Amino acid sequence: MAATRLSRIRPLLTPLGRATHYACWRPLTISGGPYRAEDVFHSQLEDPAATAFLNKSQTPLTPQQTLTEKLFEAHALDLPPGKHVRSGDFITLSPWKCMTHDNSWPVATKFMEMGATNLHKPKQIVMTLDHDVQNKSEANLKKYRKIQEFAKSQNADFYPAGHGIGHQIMVEEGYTWPGTVAVASDSHSNMYGGMGCLGTPVVRSGAADIWATGSTWFRVPPIAKVTFLGELQEGVTGKDVIVALCGIFNTDEVLNHAIEFVGGPQTMESLPLDYRLAIANMTTEWGALSGLFPIDSVLEKHLRAKSIQAEMMQSAQLAERNREHRFSKTRVDRAFQRPLVADKGARYSKSLYLDLSTIPPFVSGPNSVKVATPIQELEDRRVKIDKAYLVSCTNSRASDIASAAKVFRDATTRGQRSRIADHVKFYISAASASEQRAAEAEGDWQALLAAGAEPLPSGCGPCIGLGTGLLEKGEVGLSASNRNFKGRMGSPEAQAYLSSPEVVAASALNGYISSPGYYQTPQGYEGISAGEGDGIQRRMVGVEEALEKLVGQADSLIASAEQAGVGHQPSTTPLTSAPEQDPPTAGVEVIPGFPRRVTGEILFCDADNINTDGIYPGKYTYQDNVTPEKMSAVCMENYDPSFNDVARNSDILVSGFNFGCGSSREQAATAILARQIPLVVAGSFGNIFATNSINNALMGLEMPRLIQRLRQTFADDVQTKAPPPDKEPQANEQSLDSLPPGGKGGARPKGEKKLTRRTGWTLDWDVSRSEVTVRAGEGGDTWTEKVPEVPPNVQRIVAGGGLVKTRQAMFSGAA
């Protein structure tokens, strides 16, 4: 039976329903609305004295923070006294390091457009050349020379083509230090989380802002906790872990979340550093914005080994390149004196678990990370492959090369054929020149060459569809890389699978997707254990833990009450009108130039996952000098060709969930502004679109309950019709953040009678009170909903006409 998505993996799984709650706990309701607080003993609900200590305490409660929140707080500028960073906060982020690669010149162009001339902190910036290193055209070489000359003139750290993939350089050169935040203008910066360094991507304008000012605005995402249980069986790798997670939790459970991986000491010690890097790297494909591992003994052992290695080099090379940030013993000692950890009562937006001892080796695909199949099932089908790849920043370190080489050596030991199948091409490229040298020192690189592998220079290459060895029409490829969207590695009419290096090597050897035979199904195996919660069905809760939970819960309830419960209600909860008398609200200071109120009629585009191509057609994206009038005319035309006829100036555009998913084109925001729509309201936004909107002075609000109310009200006008099937992004046009778009421009709702609707409803956003008032048509109900405050750093960007114009004014002295 073909394996597609969770439903076809289900026979391997133990029940995946919601986490089992402790039998002695029940929901808590506080005045002002229903709030779930499931970590409460029933005795504390029935006996007020049991929680009286909370009321009697004269000491302000210290918020319980996640590790992610603590790291962002440690790198946030200008926080008010006593402020603790929480998920959802807008901060001014000053990362320890910022990496750019082949896109360094577009970032430099944006940097110069801002009016900046010198890097604010030269040693904060790292530039690498890694994407198109096989391209020897004069145009590409000229671009590379410009980037190198710019880096040299700015005294930034620079690594030329051939040195390695930027993310691997960040790790091996010591730029991803435990307890720091490092960003990159590339989505796989998530990989730094394997080093206990919070890595997350920034858009190009954000990178340029960091170049110019040392910081940029940032919104702390929701945070998910993933608990690992047990230990991996022999023959199962870190790649299998993340492929399993992508395939099991394949309905966007962690979309646009920051992830923290946790587990007991024995479980976490069983995950070596290279496994952690592979897992963190592919949290990108899982839809997350970061994938953070703890700062623990595994990491400490690795860094102490690097420290000894650095001392053996007699510091000559270190001194030559002025690498004060490298692996000194003193620095390693400091990193592990008091490493940051999440507080026990920290609040996560969701919790998932996976028992590592229950997962077999997996293969991802074809053409989707949401499809995961146990290797035994694919091996039985004998899926013939044409090309195999041991490339990319995910799995081409020396340990991965050694694992692949072992497969061929084992074949020799058994007296079997030890060369790749005659019809297969096997391409290998180390993550960095340093990793290749390490593999050569052990003879592993040579073993793969002797088996018939074709070497490629260290760089991204086939993983991103550039250079030698791309998949051609009708071919099947198996890769140890991270992304297998249709067309990503070549022809959109090819099939791409992902797996561990061992499985790639065995498949290249046999000519079809196959296992090296290291994994044996455990006796009495009952399937994969995974689901929501922490995976512990029942346990005793001690007094200390109970008190920690209560303190954390109290802080969470206060935060929830301040946000009026938005985002914490079940999706079936109907909207209700606001109380007749609202409690007093402290006013938000509105800076000059930022509107105090925004009012307009709601224009409802009832669809989820409207992608950036639906908002602004791709055929215009790379055309120069497109006028605002033209942008206005084509705004939303791929979603609804009649949009421009229905829309009016000053309308409030309201849409469903994940609005603006897809590619990173900034014109998706500027086209809406060109249509003279000042505000977009959605159930949620694609992360990159949300960032580009603020950077281009387009305001947005997330109001999921409003979307529900609109859908309930206008449901009778909608024809019933089955939604289109999911389609994976093609030709790498969609971003990793996006849900697969159904149909051109975005997924349609079940009914398509009216794609764009004039509702007659009005929306009034009082910025100073952080309130939105909605009136459901002439004489209809009116209700008010609290929305997050707009912080000063975001107000300044919008009031200044966008990030670039704001920085231009700053550098010209006009601000």
Side-chain angles (χ1 to χ4, degrees):
M1 182 175 62
T4 61
R5 302 183 182 265
L6 180 58
S7 61
R8 301 193 185 179
I9 303 174
R10 177 94 48 191
L12 289 169
L13 305 177
T14 56
L16 276 180
R18 295 191 176 276
T20 301
H21 298 294
Y22 308 137
C24 58
W25 294 356
R26 64 177 62 162
L28 168 67
T29 302
I30 62 174
S31 59
Y35 296 86
R36 296 190 64 82
E38 294 162 327
D39 295 359
V40 182
F41 288 109
H42 66 82
S43 61
Q44 294 165 337
L45 299 177
E46 295 165 358
D47 180 8
T51 53
F53 77 95
L54 288 174
N55 296 324
K56 292 180 180 178
S57 174
Q58 299 301 312
T59 304
L61 297 175
T62 301
Q64 306 299 293
Q65 291 177 291
T66 65
L67 178 57
T68 299
E69 289 167 335
K70 289 184 177 183
L71 291 177
F72 277 129
E73 182 174 318
H75 293 78
L77 304 180
D78 304 323
L79 290 177
K83 166 66 179 174
H84 290 281
V85 168
R86 307 305 297 268
S87 173
D89 286 348
F90 286 89
I91 61 173
T92 299
L93 177 66
S94 180
W96 188 56
K97 297 295 176 183
C98 174
M99 188 271 283
T100 56
H101 45 64
D102 289 31
N103 60 16
S104 293
W105 191 248
V107 173
T109 302
K110 185 76 70 174
F111 166 83
M112 291 181 281
E113 186 182 351
M114 290 177 173
T117 55
N118 297 301
L119 296 179
H120 185 79
K121 296 179 182 177
K123 291 308 172 186
Q124 184 185 34
I125 309 305
V126 181
M127 299 185 201
T128 68
L129 299 178
D130 60 2
H131 271 51
D132 204 13
V133 297
Q134 297 181 43
N135 183 354
K136 304 302 182 182
S137 69
E138 180 55 32
N140 192 57
L141 294 177
K142 180 180 179 181
K143 181 180 76 172
Y144 276 10
R145 286 195 298 270
K146 288 167 65 176
I147 293 171
Q148 183 170 3
E149 291 166 1
F150 180 84
K152 182 178 179 180
S153 70
Q154 295 288 338
N155 199 30
D157 286 358
F158 173 78
Y159 296 86
H163 197 98
I165 301 172
H167 300 304
Q168 178 63 27
I169 289 171
M170 291 289 285
V171 168
E172 70 185 32
E173 296 288 351
Y175 296 114
T176 56
W177 200 251
T180 66
V181 175
V183 302
S185 58
D186 185 277
S187 59
H188 287 104
S189 50
N190 291 26
M191 189 176 93
Y192 313 155
M195 295 292 297
C197 167
L198 181 52
T200 194
V202 292
V203 297
R204 293 178 183 181
S205 55
D209 199 22
I210 293 168
W211 285 15
T213 68
S215 62
T216 193
W217 73 271
F218 187 87
R219 191 176 189 186
V220 180
I223 303 163
K225 179 171 69 174
V226 176
T227 301
F228 289 142
L229 306 170
E231 299 178 39
L232 295 174
Q233 302 285 335
E234 182 180 359
V236 184
T237 71
K239 184 61 162 287
D240 298 306
V241 172
I242 188 60
V243 169
L245 287 169
C246 290
I248 294 169
F249 301 105
N250 61 8
T251 54
D252 306 295
E253 288 87 345
V254 296
L255 182 67
N256 291 333
H257 279 63
I259 296 174
E260 292 184 15
F261 293 106
V262 301
Q266 189 170 347
T267 295
M268 300 310 285
E269 286 172 9
S270 72
L271 292 172
L273 187 75
D274 284 358
Y275 283 14
R276 296 179 178 201
L277 292 173
I279 293 168
N281 182 291
M282 269 192 69
T283 58
T284 298
E285 279 63 42
W286 199 15
L289 300 177
S290 64
L292 184 62
F293 277 83
I295 305 169
D296 63 2
S297 60
V298 173
L299 183 57
E300 183 176 6
K301 290 175 185 175
H302 168 79
L303 290 177
R304 292 206 179 281
K306 294 283 285 187
S307 168
I308 294 172
Q309 182 184 25
E311 290 180 3
M312 292 175 63
M313 292 172 62
Q314 299 178 347
S315 300
Q317 186 180 7
L318 305 184
E320 177 187 348
R321 298 189 63 167
N322 190 29
R323 296 176 179 173
E324 72 283 357
H325 45 270
R326 294 303 186 263
F327 305 93
S328 71
K329 180 179 182 301
T330 301
R331 193 153 182 265
V332 175
D333 289 341
R334 216 166 37 235
F336 292 93
Q337 282 175 353
R338 295 182 62 186
L340 288 174
V341 296
D343 295 324
K344 290 183 179 179
R347 183 184 183 196
Y348 294 87
S349 67
K350 59 186 63 176
S351 295
L352 307 172
Y353 75 90
L354 175 66
D355 188 336
L356 301 181
S357 68
T358 67
I359 64 170
F362 268 98
V363 175
S364 172
N367 298 342
S368 173
V369 295
K370 295 186 176 185
V371 178
T373 308
I375 183 63
Q376 298 100 316
E377 184 177 332
L378 278 179
E379 190 166 27
D380 291 343
R381 296 187 217 157
R382 298 180 70 90
V383 178
K384 181 180 176 181
I385 66 168
D386 301 287
K387 289 172 180 172
Y389 305 88
L390 182 56
V391 299
S392 88
C393 53
T394 315
N395 277 122
S396 60
R397 283 170 279 279
S399 63
D400 302 310
I401 296 167
S403 296
K406 183 177 184 299
V407 173
F408 291 95
R409 290 193 179 112
D410 287 349
T412 300
T413 301
R414 294 191 299 266
Q416 299 172 345
R417 173 191 173 100
S418 57
R419 284 187 60 82
I420 63 174
D422 293 338
H423 68 276
V424 173
K425 289 182 178 289
F426 183 21
Y427 299 97
I428 60 174
S429 171
S432 70
S434 174
E435 293 294 315
Q436 181 173 329
R437 287 193 296 270
E440 289 171 341
E442 298 296 325
D444 298 323
W445 186 262
Q446 296 90 322
L448 294 180
L449 296 180
E454 299 182 31
L456 298 175
S458 180
C460 299
C463 178
I464 55 168
L466 293 173
T468 301
L470 304 188
L471 288 174
E472 298 178 9
K473 181 178 179 180
E475 288 188 329
V476 176
L478 178 64
S479 178
S481 55
N482 47 37
R483 193 171 294 174
N484 60 347
F485 292 164
K486 185 177 290 186
R488 165 78 174 185
M489 298 182 66
S491 170
E493 297 182 59
Q495 290 191 329
Y497 293 85
L498 305 176
S499 73
S500 68
E502 293 92 329
V503 170
V504 168
S507 303
L509 177 65
N510 296 323
Y512 60 93
I513 296 179
S514 48
S515 164
Y518 303 145
Y519 173 79
Q520 299 297 321
T521 303
Q523 190 171 7
Y525 182 66
E526 297 181 353
I528 297 172
S529 178
E532 297 182 7
D534 62 6
I536 303 173
Q537 300 302 314
R538 292 180 180 274
R539 60 185 171 89
M540 297 299 294
V541 181
V543 173
E544 181 181 354
E545 182 179 355
L547 294 179
E548 287 172 347
K549 284 181 175 293
L550 284 170
V551 172
Q553 167 201 312
D555 180 67
S556 297
L557 290 176
I558 292 169
S560 297
E562 290 175 344
Q563 296 180 20
V566 175
H568 299 282
Q569 304 297 330
S571 60
T572 55
T573 301
L575 276 169
T576 57
S577 299
E580 292 184 3
Q581 292 185 343
D582 290 330
T585 303
V588 176
E589 182 179 355
V590 181
I591 68 172
F594 192 90
R596 300 186 66 85
R597 302 187 86 96
V598 179
T599 303
E601 181 180 347
I602 290 177
L603 184 71
F604 189 33
C605 293
D606 186 9
D608 297 332
N609 309 314
I610 296 180
N611 59 40
T612 50
D613 189 64
I615 300 169
Y616 188 76
K619 62 185 178 182
Y620 301 110
T621 301
Y622 297 104
Q623 291 185 19
D624 296 329
N625 303 317
V626 178
T627 65
E629 292 76 17
K630 181 64 175 178
M631 295 183 77
S632 172
V634 302
C635 179
M636 300 291 288
E637 77 170 14
N638 273 2
Y639 164 73
D640 180 5
S642 66
F643 176 87
N644 196 45
D645 296 328
V646 179
R648 300 172 188 166
N649 293 352
S650 301
D651 279 343
I652 307 298
L653 175 58
V654 179
S655 189
F657 293 84
N658 205 24
F659 183 85
C661 59
S663 70
S664 60
R665 66 193 67 164
E666 294 190 6
Q667 295 97 324
T670 54
I672 293 173
L673 285 171
R675 190 58 190 82
Q676 299 190 45
I677 292 173
L679 174 66
V680 179
V681 178
S684 62
F685 290 102
N687 182 68
I688 294 177
F689 176 83
T691 301
N692 283 334
S693 293
I694 291 176
N695 286 347
N696 287 280
L698 175 65
M699 296 176 289
L701 290 174
E702 292 185 348
M703 298 182 64
R705 295 195 295 171
L706 172 60
I707 311 310
Q708 183 182 355
R709 180 67 174 264
L710 285 163
R711 286 176 170 172
Q712 289 172 346
T713 301
F714 296 105
D716 293 341
D717 292 345
V718 178
Q719 299 171 349
T720 301
K721 177 179 174 182
D726 284 348
K727 297 179 182 178
E728 283 297 326
Q730 295 186 12
N732 200 25
E733 292 175 352
Q734 312 304 325
S735 79
L736 57 124
D737 303 328
S738 63
L739 293 167
K744 189 175 182 181
R748 306 293 193 236
K750 287 186 177 181
E752 293 188 293
K753 187 175 181 180
K754 285 189 178 180
L755 297 177
T756 306
R757 175 189 302 278
R758 301 208 64 82
T759 62
W761 293 23
T762 57
L763 182 148
D764 178 73
W765 176 23
D766 186 336
V767 176
S768 64
R769 291 176 58 85
S770 300
E771 291 178 348
V772 168
T773 300
V774 177
R775 187 180 67 185
E778 191 69 31
D781 291 342
T782 299
W783 70 93
T784 299
E785 183 174 320
K786 296 292 292 184
V787 294
E789 296 180 1
V790 184
N793 58 347
V794 172
Q795 287 191 43
R796 281 192 289 271
I797 292 171
V798 175
L803 183 60
V804 170
K805 290 182 179 179
T806 300
R807 296 296 178 249
Q808 287 174 342
M810 182 182 75
F811 285 112
S812 68

